């Protein structure tokens, strides 16, 4: 992250008055040799048009933030050594391109792996304005335009954003405005109850009035607030279910409150029974979101967006696309991704996400999706992302949120070029390593779609039985004969939530793509995979291969001339990753060996 900022060559030690002024500043410092004219054209909105008008002369036309996005796109192409087009027109596919921070008022970050909160400390807003401007610049440079600063689990006193902390929050919004970034707040559905109202029932008049008055107060301090983000009836958070109301009634009540100010309610669909009895085989957690929301399609107000995690579980290394994203045809949808590496290596293990996101986008006719959100991977660490290479996820997320057709290879190699001054060969090696890192991680942790073999709660490292007898609905049910869950029509019926063409692709274990096999099917260890191997042999092979690939990554990283302090951080975390990969490989192979009694055909060491 720092590297990209330093390529911009100038510190932002002033508060720009507008995106246009900022665009001028960035262009004149990053590309002083070029003559770049900025022509405001509000009709282009956030989009821009770039035209060559002479050998070294260009015009960028755009709406206020369009000029800024055009300037950054231009600067990045130039600094990355890409040829500059004679003409380029671009506008974002998604209206809201959001970063959701899970930051708590005490300065901690839920699932944060890069230090403490950038925004909070000791129960209140507390930030370094210089870093806020850096963050605004990072977001604007990849076209991100909404920043939700507080955790969706709104613990007291983060609620004060709507109350005592409003002036401070307004000052923060002022800092981000010239970067084209609007703030958003997570709100607690039961907040009226802190103000003497005995209920949070969305149909209660006192509750409705409280939210309307609160919205009016908040919007008079921050007129361009993007809106409210809500996690309701999920993992212990309050919500409409307490009052026998459905989520359309809850979301629409808040939508009424913010509508006069042009605000949006982003309502998360991460709703499931987190107190499931493991003996209960009728309930299948991935079915939950569909069951809670599909029947409400068409009942949400037009300023409500349902925010759906990209898969039906919770950011596992491999999940199918959520059926809700395919099935809600009369509702505004946002897809939620997670940059924070909760289940994917805690920003210790290298895990580049864009190949995974590409698979999701390629399955998705995106006409109903109007916005994108990602859980932040940022914190107070000097490099923002803890692991310097985790910055590739922030960067490429921005590119995808602007243009979901962005391909993995050019996006990652551009990030490498903008970040490190490497030779072409070195750049190629790092790009390849990053692009293959997700498959490597998947192989040594949870291949074939099995999911959930991770250490409970902390979510780093292996514990194959850790969640088996727990409350969270995340079971693989491995026994001496078989593993996986049958989610077809003969099993839990989850697959029936998809369109027919999709069902056909996955319903038969003989033809189901290997990578999703154990997500959809329960199979005996002797099951023959398409390549002739048995399932158990494939499980062993993937884990051994993943560990070998991690070793190879380590060798490659040692040859690359990373500058300090990146080199030291990258190499020391790679050592930790290797240790993690070995634990995963040995523990999971031993787990299955003990259950199945099957020997590895290649005679490799599996511990007893
Ligand atoms: C913010 C998972 C995480 C929680 C997170 C939750 C969510 O359950 O482990 O930390 O809470 O997802 O997305 O709301």
């Amino acid at each position: 992250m720092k590297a990209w900022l330093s390529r911009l060559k100038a510190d932002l030690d002033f508060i720009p008055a507008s995106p246009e002024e900022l665009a001028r500043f960035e262009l004149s410092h990053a590309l002083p040799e070029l003559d770049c004219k900025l022509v405001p054209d509000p009709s282009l909105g956030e989009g821009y048009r770039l035209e060559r008008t002479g050998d070294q002369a260009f015009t960028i036309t755009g709406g206020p933030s369009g000029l800024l996005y055009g300037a950054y796109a231009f600067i990045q192409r130039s600094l990355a050594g890409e040829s500059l087009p004679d003409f380029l027109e671009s506008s974002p596919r998604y209206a809201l391109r959001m970063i959701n921070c899970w930051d708590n008022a005490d300065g901690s970050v839920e699932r944060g792996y890069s230090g403490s909160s950038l925004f909070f400390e000791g129960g209140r807003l507390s930030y370094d304005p210089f870093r806020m401007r850096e963050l605004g610049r990072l977001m604007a440079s990849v076209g991100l335009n909404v920043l939700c600063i507080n955790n969706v689990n709104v613990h007291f006193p983060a609620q004060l954003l709507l109350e005592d902390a409003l002036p401070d929050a307004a000052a923060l919004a002022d800092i981000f405005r010239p970067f084209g970034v609007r703030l958003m707040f997570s709100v607690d559905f039961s907040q009226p109850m802190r103000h003497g109202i005995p209920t949070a029932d969305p149909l209660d008049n006192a509750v409705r009035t409280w939210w309307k008055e609160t919205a009016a107060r908040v919007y008079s301090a921050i007129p361009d607030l993007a809106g409210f983000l809500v996690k309701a009836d999920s993992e212990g958070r309050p919500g409409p279910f307490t009052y026998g109301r459905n989520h359309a009634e809850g979301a629409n009540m808040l939508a009424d409150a913010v509508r006069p100010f042009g605000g949006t309610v982003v309502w998360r669909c991460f709703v499931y029974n987190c107190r499931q009895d493991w003996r209960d085989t009728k309930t299948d957690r991935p079915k939950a979101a569909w069951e809670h929301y599909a029947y409400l399609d068409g009942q949400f107000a037009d300023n409500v967006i349902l925010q759906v995690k990209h898969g039906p579980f919770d950011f596992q290394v491999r999940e199918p696309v959520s059926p809700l994203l395919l099935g809600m045809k009369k509702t505004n949808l946002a897809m939620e991704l997670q940059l924070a590496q909760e289940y994917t290596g805690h920003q210790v293990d290298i895990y580049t996400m864009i190949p995974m996101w590409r698979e999701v986008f390629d399955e998705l006719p995106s006409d109903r999706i109007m916005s994108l959100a990602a859980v932040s991977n940022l914190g107070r660490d000097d490099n923002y992302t803890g692991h310097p290479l985790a910055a590739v996820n922030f960067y490429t997320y921005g590119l995808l949120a602007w243009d979901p057709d962005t391909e993995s290879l050019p996006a990652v190699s551009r990030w490498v070029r903008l970040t490190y001054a490497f030779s072409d060969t070195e750049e190629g090696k790092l790009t390849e390593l990053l692009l293959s890192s997700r498959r490597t991680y998947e192989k040594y942790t949870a291949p074939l779609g099995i999911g959930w073999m991770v250490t409970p709660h902390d979510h780093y490292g292996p514990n194959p039985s850790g969640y088996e007898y727990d409350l969270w609905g995340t079971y693989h049910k491995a026994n001496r004969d078989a593993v996986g869950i049958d989610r077809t029509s003969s099993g839990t019926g989850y697959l029936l939530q998809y369109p027919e063409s999709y069902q056909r692709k996955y319903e038969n274990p003989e033809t189901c793509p290997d990578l999703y096999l154990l997500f959809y099917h329960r199979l005996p260890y002797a099951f023959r995979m398409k390549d002739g191997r048995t399932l158990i042999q494939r499980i062993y092979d993937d884990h051994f291969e993943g560990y070998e690939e991690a070793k190879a990554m380590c060798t490659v990283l040692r040859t690359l001339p990373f500058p300090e302090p990146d080199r030291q951080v990258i190499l020391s975390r790679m050592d930790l990753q290797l240790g993690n990969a070995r634990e995963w490989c040995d523990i999971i192979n031993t787990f299955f060996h003990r259950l199945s009694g099957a020997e590895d055909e290649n005679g490799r060491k599996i511990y007893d």
Side-chain angles (χ1 to χ4, degrees), residues 250-454:
N252 293 347
M253 180 275 291
L254 290 175
D256 280 349
V258 298
R259 182 176 296 107
F261 316 102
T264 299
V265 169
V266 179
W267 188 273
R268 293 176 86 233
C269 297
F270 184 57
V271 178
Y272 68 99
N273 176 8
C274 66
R275 307 207 61 79
Q276 184 176 335
D277 186 330
W278 60 270
R279 298 168 194 84
D280 163 13
T281 50
K282 296 265 176 306
T283 308
D284 184 22
R285 175 167 157 183
K287 292 169 77 176
W290 177 274
E291 288 168 349
H292 286 298
Y293 293 96
Y295 79 100
L296 295 173
D297 195 17
Q299 294 185 34
F300 289 92
D302 58 3
N303 60 332
V304 171
I305 301 177
L306 292 191
Q307 184 165 301
V308 183
K309 290 192 182 186
H310 69 79
F313 258 133
D314 187 14
F315 301 129
Q316 299 300 287
V317 60
R318 185 169 298 272
E319 293 187 39
V321 63
S322 166
L324 211 53
L325 292 169
L326 299 166
M328 298 283 279
K329 302 217 184 293
K330 293 178 278 189
T331 304
N332 300 322
L333 295 171
M335 180 160 73
E336 181 177 315
L337 310 174
Q338 189 186 39
L339 308 179
Q341 289 178 231
E342 175 178 358
Y343 294 98
T344 53
H346 284 204
Q347 282 139 250
V348 171
D349 298 25
I350 298 171
Y351 188 103
T352 301
M353 299 180 175
I354 188 168
M356 174 175 81
W357 297 331
R358 268 266 48 92
E359 290 165 8
V360 176
F361 280 103
D362 291 345
E363 289 274 12
L364 207 63
S366 65
D367 52 335
R368 278 315 309 169
I369 297 184
M370 48 152 349
S371 291
L372 221 54
V375 179
S376 165
N377 59 353
L378 306 181
R380 250 180 227 212
D381 280 0
D382 190 48
N383 63 14
Y384 286 94
T385 48
H387 196 309
L389 300 177
V392 71
N393 291 327
F394 189 94
Y395 184 84
T396 50
Y397 164 64
L399 299 191
L400 261 182
W402 185 273
D403 175 8
D405 295 328
T406 302
E407 292 294 339
S408 303
L409 174 63
V412 171
S413 68
R414 185 195 279 176
W415 179 81
V416 171
R417 245 174 293 142
L418 288 173
T419 305
Y420 296 115
F422 282 175
S423 69
D424 287 353
T425 315
E426 292 156 351
E427 178 203 306
K429 280 187 189 172
L430 181 57
T431 303
E432 199 185 313
L433 181 151
L434 292 172
L435 286 171
S436 57
S437 59
R438 182 275 189 125
R439 268 299 282 144
T440 295
Y441 185 88
E442 176 177 35
K443 285 185 191 169
Y444 67 71
T445 60
L448 306 171
I450 191 166
W452 303 102
M453 290 205 145
V454 73

